[in-house]
Amino acid sequence: MTPHSSDTAAVEAIVASILQDEGTHRTSATSTPDATIVESLVDRFHGLAFPGFFGPRFDPSDAVSMVGAVVDDVVERLRPQVAAAFAYEAVDGGGLSPEEARVRSVEVVRDFVAAIPAIRGMLGRDARAGFTRDPAVGHPDEAILCHPGLRALTVHRFAHQLHASGVPMLPRMLAEVSHARTGIDLHPGASIGGGFFIDHGTGVVVGETTVIGEDCTLYQGVTLGAKRFEREADGAIRRGYRRHPTLEDEVTVYAGATILGGKTVVGRGSVVSGGVFLTRSVPPNSLVAAPRLE
């Protein structure tokens, strides 16, 4: 490498701090998904979801060639990241060998590509919901081009497919790129039905084990979170259990509401008003409101 011009003692001190804390660096020998490539996949997912709105203009007369090129590009970028994610788990003793990870990545990415039509179908419903439920949107295209909720949901639906296939880490990396861009935090483990609409969106948090039904609406600042974190006998935080709420079909949750707990179910057709703090289930067609001060 080219000799550096910085103060040698300062550089050596930085290097020492890096070497002393193994958790803050990774070498080329450690299989880790590449954050730059992961971010590039987010942009390509938008192009697959809404071609012509994002990326080059869609040409129906050359559709197979155009879409094929995008899919080939996604596969070329995605497959090594999936393999790296599977192999990376070996650091904790539970992952795959490099060859096993490669084979598994081929299977996962094949299933991922096969799922794209269904993902696009759900996103089409989400886009239409953005137009029909937001009076500030003057044209259906505006929902696609301008709604941060749809941008976040686009990434979520692709990341959720990878999460459902058992891919570690990578789906969360995709979600956090979207979170940074939109201010909307959708964990890739959350199950979200079609026709979903997030209005405004800033500050929305949807936890890992959340289940959201069909045609639901959230406004800004909504939290669907855990009531508390359980502990194992040794004191370590418990993982892998239901700790986030369920919203049944056609539920609307207004700005700033917080709904917590894995046993909390908001019944179909219910409305949760802004500012509500809810930790128990409510039956279908409920109106849940906080006390008003006038």
Side-chain angles (χ1 to χ4, degrees):
M1 296 181 64
T2 304
H4 63 82
S5 59
S6 303
D7 179 83
T8 299
V11 171
E12 289 177 346
I14 294 170
V15 170
S17 75
I18 295 170
L19 296 177
Q20 288 167 6
D21 189 346
E22 294 183 357
T24 64
H25 69 273
R26 291 291 178 266
T27 70
S28 59
T30 306
S31 179
T32 311
D34 187 306
T36 301
I37 295 177
V38 171
E39 186 153 6
S40 75
L41 283 165
V42 167
D43 296 321
R44 282 152 181 82
F45 291 163
H46 288 300
L48 278 173
F50 301 106
F53 288 94
F54 305 101
R57 290 291 180 179
F58 182 68
D59 180 0
S61 68
D62 194 30
V64 172
S65 178
M66 288 184 67
V67 173
V70 176
V71 170
D72 287 348
D73 185 35
V74 166
V75 169
E76 183 178 351
R77 292 168 185 270
L78 181 59
R79 191 181 291 156
Q81 307 315 310
V82 172
F86 278 125
Y88 184 74
E89 283 287 275
V91 171
D92 297 325
L96 303 178
S97 70
E99 179 58 24
E100 290 172 328
R102 187 196 66 78
V103 172
R104 187 79 179 94
S105 72
V106 172
E107 298 170 351
V108 166
V109 173
R110 180 193 62 216
D111 293 344
F112 178 86
V113 171
I116 291 175
I119 292 171
R120 293 197 67 259
M122 295 186 76
L123 288 168
R125 286 183 58 196
D126 301 328
R128 288 187 288 276
F131 173 65
T132 59
R133 294 182 214 159
D134 186 353
V137 173
H139 192 283
D141 290 3
E142 189 176 336
I144 296 173
L145 291 168
C146 302
H147 272 170
L150 187 60
R151 298 284 188 99
L153 194 55
T154 297
V155 179
H156 172 80
R157 296 214 183 277
F158 286 102
H160 181 72
Q161 171 64 30
L162 295 171
H163 183 276
S165 294
V167 180
M169 191 185 301
L170 177 60
R172 184 67 184 272
M173 293 175 70
L174 290 164
E176 291 306 327
V177 172
S178 179
H179 181 194
R181 292 184 180 184
T182 66
I184 297 167
D185 186 357
L186 305 178
H187 193 285
S191 176
I192 301 177
F196 185 53
F197 175 47
I198 305 174
D199 201 355
H200 303 296
T202 304
V204 165
V205 177
V206 176
E208 177 188 17
T209 61
T210 302
V211 176
I212 298 176
E214 301 292 312
D215 299 310
C216 290
T217 300
L218 305 184
Y219 284 77
Q220 70 271 18
V222 168
T223 297
L224 305 180
K227 190 174 181 179
R228 64 187 179 90
F229 295 129
E230 297 182 6
R231 299 278 175 177
E232 302 290 359
D234 62 359
I237 196 167
R238 185 184 172 201
R239 306 177 191 277
Y241 69 100
R242 278 298 309 276
R243 58 194 185 278
H244 301 101
T246 295
L247 308 186
E248 294 184 343
D249 298 347
E250 300 172 3
V251 168
T252 299
V253 185
Y254 281 98
T258 298
I259 306 174
L260 305 180
K263 296 181 179 179
T264 302
V265 178
V266 180
R268 179 177 183 144
S270 294
V271 174
V272 180
S273 299
V276 164
F277 188 88
L278 183 64
T279 59
R280 62 177 177 83
S281 297
V282 297
N285 302 309
S286 295
L287 173 59
V288 186
R292 294 178 61 182
L293 298 177
E294 297 182 347

